[in-house]
Amino acid sequence: MRKIILMMSVSLDGYIEGPNREIDWHMVDDELHTHFNEQLAQMGAFLDGRVTYELMADFWPTADREKDSTGPVADFAAIWRNMPKIVFSRTLQHAQWHTTIVRDVVADDIRALKAQDGGDLALGGAGLAAEFMRNDLVDEYRVYVHPVILGRGKPLFAKSDTLRKLRLVENRTFGNGVVLLRYERADGVETGETGETVESADA
C-alpha cells in the first residue's frame, strides 16, 4: 500500500503564504532543492488543486531552458514534466504534462489509488490537504520549517475538531536553517467525523 505524503514549506508561525500569497520568503538553496528533487523523484504521482497545478504548469515545463537555471532547478523541471499528476478541480477543462483531472475528492477512490502499484503520492496545497485530512487520507507529513515569522497569511492547517496523533520519524536541519519535521500516523483519529465526498479544492 503506497502512502499519501504531504510536503509543505511553512514559516515558524505556521503559514505557507504571506497575506498577499507571497512565498518569496522560502529559503530554497541548492542543498534544499536537491533534497526536494531526491524525495519527489521517487513519487508515483503529484496530487494538486487547480491553483497549485496552474502555478507549477506556468513555470516548470520550460524552467530548464532558462539561462540562469541551476542544476537542481533543471533537474526538477524534468521530474515535474514526466511525473503523473492528478489535479482536483471542478472548473479546469484541459491539462497537459501527464495530468489527469478529477472533479471531487472521494475517499474510496483515493484509497483505491493508494492500493495501486507504484511510488507514494505527493500531496500539495493547503486547501486540498485539508480535504484529505478531513477524510483521514494523509499518511505522512513532511513539514519544512523556514526560519522566518510572517505574522499573518495562509496557515498550513485549517481549523478542525479532530485530534490526530503523529509519530516523529525524522528531523533534519539544513545549512540555511530550514528544519524538516517528518511525522507518520500514530494512533489515528481520536475525534471528529470523516465524510466520503467533499468539494474539490482550488476549483
Side-chain angles (χ1 to χ4, degrees):
M1 179 75 71
R2 51 189 183 170
K3 298 185 294 185
I4 292 179
I5 299 174
L6 174 61
M7 295 181 62
M8 192 68 66
S9 289
V10 301
S11 64
L12 182 59
D13 49 348
Y15 297 106
I16 64 168
E17 298 175 348
N20 299 308
R21 306 197 70 174
E22 63 268 30
I23 58 172
D24 54 355
W25 49 271
H26 284 193
M27 299 173 62
V28 182
D29 57 11
D30 281 355
E31 179 195 16
L32 185 56
H33 209 314
T34 298
H35 165 81
F36 287 154
N37 291 352
E38 292 171 351
Q39 300 300 307
L40 293 171
Q42 302 175 39
M43 298 296 172
F46 295 158
L47 312 180
D48 292 310
R50 177 185 60 81
V51 172
T52 299
Y53 169 77
E54 290 182 336
L55 287 172
M56 300 292 281
D58 188 52
F59 176 76
W60 286 109
T62 59
D64 51 352
R65 301 175 192 169
E66 300 295 330
K67 293 181 180 179
D68 58 349
S69 292
T70 63
V73 170
D75 291 344
F76 183 71
I79 292 169
W80 191 89
R81 279 197 303 264
N82 297 324
M83 183 67 65
K85 290 168 280 290
I86 300 175
V87 178
F88 294 84
S89 172
R90 289 184 173 179
T91 60
L92 188 65
Q93 298 300 317
H94 304 286
Q96 297 177 297
W97 313 108
H98 309 290
T99 302
T100 300
I101 300 172
V102 175
R103 296 306 179 195
D104 296 291
V105 177
V106 180
D108 286 343
D109 292 348
I110 302 302
R111 294 187 187 102
L113 181 64
K114 290 172 61 177
Q116 295 177 7
D117 293 333
D120 292 331
L121 307 168
L123 176 63
L128 187 62
E131 296 180 8
F132 273 65
M133 284 187 280
R134 280 197 294 270
N135 283 270
D136 193 27
L137 294 169
V138 180
D139 302 296
E140 184 177 312
Y141 298 83
R142 298 181 188 177
V143 181
Y144 295 84
V145 182
H146 292 242
V148 59
I149 296 174
L150 296 181
R152 57 195 178 101
K154 184 174 185 178
L156 171 58
F157 296 106
K159 293 181 179 180
S160 172
D161 295 324
T162 301
L163 171 66
R164 290 183 173 87
K165 294 184 178 180
L166 305 173
R167 178 177 62 255
L168 180 66
V169 295
E170 180 186 2
N171 63 80
R172 174 178 174 181
T173 302
F174 295 88
N176 59 8
V178 173
V179 176
L180 163 63
L181 300 173
R182 179 178 163 220
Y183 294 94
E184 291 181 344
R185 298 165 62 105
D187 298 329
V189 177
E190 293 292 316
T191 61
E193 297 179 354
T194 298
E196 286 301 308
T197 304
V198 294
E199 292 184 1
S200 57
D202 298 337

